[in-house]
Each structure stands twice: as structure tokens, then as C-alpha cells.
Amino acid sequence: MRAAVFEQEGVLSMEDRPRPQLRAPTDVLIRVAACGICGTDLHILAVPQNHPCTPGTTLGHEFVGDVVDIGTEVGTVAVGDRVAVRPILTCGSCEECLLGRPNHCRDRTALGLELDGGLAELAVGPASACIPMPASSPSEIAALTEPLACVYNASRKARLVPGDDVVIFGGGAIGLLFLALFREAGAARVIVVEPLRMRAEVAGRMGATTVDPSGGNVVASVAAQMPAGPQVVVDAVGTQLGNAVAVSGTAARVILFGQSEQADTVVHQVDIT
């Protein structure tokens, strides 16, 4: 099968690889229908590398497909089922897992990072990580299940109240998913800070006002539209903590979603109120 493999810093190669085998009796084999390219994948391939990944690993952790084989102990999915895949695999027994924080599992691994992922024709994962999807769901939409789940989890922490104003830094896939969720949840005004015209136009069609950060002072531009500041701010980029705090209204909730190991942001403590 063909697979997109992380070789080393800055190098992604297309390779012919053997058909993957089930690793455990609880595993399933999935024929990949669609796989998203996450910002994490771009960080992995950046020079210098901005996110860890095991060399020789097939990338891709946002994927959906059809089950073509199952292990002897699998009873939750069947051959032919359409599934999305939860890429983070946890132990279920460490302190973090037992405290209900599996994303901080001390023994976690991830498909597309340490284990082969979905940027291939076939992928293997545990049945417990498979989320049933409607057979009729368009593959390119169903592949958004993983990033949408992450955005949904973060949006819950924002505790948005209908009528709240929102500012989102970044109009990529993640920023637009936040926009969609907040609009559905009853946000009043949403500003998306985004320099790329194509992304800004999509955000506008989804009901947001857009601000081009390359055009001047972002904080002043937001303040001109929201003098009291927004109640919810999202940094979907990973480099905008300083601006996120600076534009916030009193007692606003700031969600730091994007991450960058290269970011070095100055935050003035007096701006945190």
C-alpha cells in the first residue's frame, strides 16, 4: 500500500509499505476513506521540527474509513462499518486516566505520531478507538470528527453564554470550527482575526466580522468594534496569547488551543483581570 511517512526533520516520503497486520485481538483494520492534514502534521515537518514524532511513522491522525478486518476479541464494530478514529490511545490505569484526564495519560501513544496513522490506504487501531459513523456521511466531512471533538471540548471550557461576544485568532480549520460552534451556541458578535483573504472570506460567510492583523494594531481594531471587550477569546494559532489577553473584556475566558514550541509571547500581568 502507499503511505506518507515522516522520515526526518523536514522530510515526508511516499512509500510502498506492506499491508498492516492486526497487533492485538482487540484491533481492527481500516481502509482509509479520508484523512485530514492537521497543523500538528505541519509542525512535525517544519524546520526546525516543532512537534515530536517517531521517524518512520506514517502520519495522519484525523481519519475515517471502513472496517475490513477485526480481531478475535472485537465485538463493538463489524466488517463493513464506517468509523472515525480517536488517535490518542491511553492506558486507562495511570493516575491521570483514573482522574478523568486521559489526554494527560502518562503512557499514552498516538496514531500518526508514535504509531502508523491514516495517511495511507490502510490503518490499524484498537476497536475501542473507533467511533461509528453513518455509512452515508461524506468522507471529507466525517474526517473532521477528531478536530471537531477537540474544539468541542475546548469550547465547553469557554462557558459561553448566549449573547456573549467572541474573538477568535486564526481562521483556519480549527478557528472556523470554533466559529461554527459558538454561532450555534448563541454568540452575539464574533470577530475572526485572519490575514489570509480566502480564510477571512469563509469566516465572513459563516457570520463573523474579520480583522486583518497585517493592517495595523489588532487590539485597537478589536476595541473599535467591541469597546468593552469580548467575553470569550480563542487563540487557535498558538502564538497569540499576548493579544488574546490584551483584547479580553473583564473576567473573559481565554482558550489557548493552538500550540507552538517556538512561540515566545509577552503577557503583562496587569492585563489579566
Side-chain angles (χ1 to χ4, degrees):
M1 68 169 189
R2 299 289 283 167
V5 179
F6 170 65
E7 292 292 345
Q8 58 185 1
E9 183 178 87
V11 179
L12 178 72
S13 64
M14 290 300 300
E15 297 183 5
D16 289 314
R17 288 202 158 186
R19 178 186 177 96
Q21 303 297 311
L22 301 179
R23 293 183 289 265
T26 52
D27 279 347
V28 300
L29 179 66
I30 299 165
R31 184 172 301 281
V32 178
C35 182
I37 297 174
C38 179
T40 299
D41 297 316
L42 302 183
H43 290 321
I44 290 169
L45 293 169
V47 179
Q49 189 175 341
N50 201 8
H51 194 285
C53 181
T54 302
T57 300
T58 299
L59 294 184
H61 57 272
E62 302 175 354
F63 64 99
V64 64
D66 302 304
V67 176
V68 294
D69 193 14
I70 63 175
T72 56
E73 296 180 13
V74 173
T76 53
V77 297
V79 171
D81 285 354
R82 168 63 60 99
V83 295
V85 180
R86 173 172 51 83
I88 297 178
L89 311 180
T90 58
C91 71
S93 58
C94 71
E95 181 180 1
E96 297 295 341
C97 285
L98 294 176
L99 288 173
R101 299 193 292 255
N103 54 315
H104 295 292
C105 173
R106 296 174 182 176
D107 297 310
R108 77 178 198 173
T109 56
L111 301 173
L113 294 175
E114 293 89 16
L115 301 172
D116 288 336
L119 278 176
E121 296 177 55
L122 296 162
V124 169
S128 59
C130 293
I131 297 92
M133 303 292 291
S136 59
S137 58
S139 299
E140 67 275 14
I141 300 300
L144 291 170
T145 300
E146 190 273 344
L148 178 60
C150 296
V151 168
Y152 174 70
N153 183 55
S155 68
R156 291 175 60 197
K157 298 177 181 179
R159 303 190 311 279
L160 183 130
V161 176
D164 278 351
D165 288 334
V166 178
V167 172
I168 301 169
F169 286 89
I174 295 299
L176 294 177
L177 286 173
F178 271 109
L179 170 58
L181 283 181
F182 286 142
R183 293 288 290 174
E184 288 295 320
R189 295 176 294 174
V190 181
I191 293 175
V192 173
V193 181
E194 173 54 55
L196 296 181
R197 177 181 294 182
M198 179 183 70
R199 291 178 171 179
E201 288 176 349
V202 175
R205 292 199 298 272
M206 293 174 64
T209 301
T210 59
V211 167
D212 183 350
S214 61
N217 188 316
V218 172
V219 177
S221 297
V222 171
Q225 300 181 56
M226 297 178 179
Q231 287 75 50
V232 174
V233 184
V234 177
D235 176 6
V237 181
T239 61
Q240 298 299 307
L241 173 57
N243 281 332
V245 171
V247 303
S248 298
T250 302
R253 286 82 70 196
V254 178
I255 302 299
L256 304 180
F257 190 94
Q259 297 182 17
S260 172
E261 292 185 357
Q262 307 304 317
D264 186 13
T265 304
V266 174
V267 178
H268 300 287
Q269 285 184 237
V270 294
D271 290 336
I272 302 174
T273 56

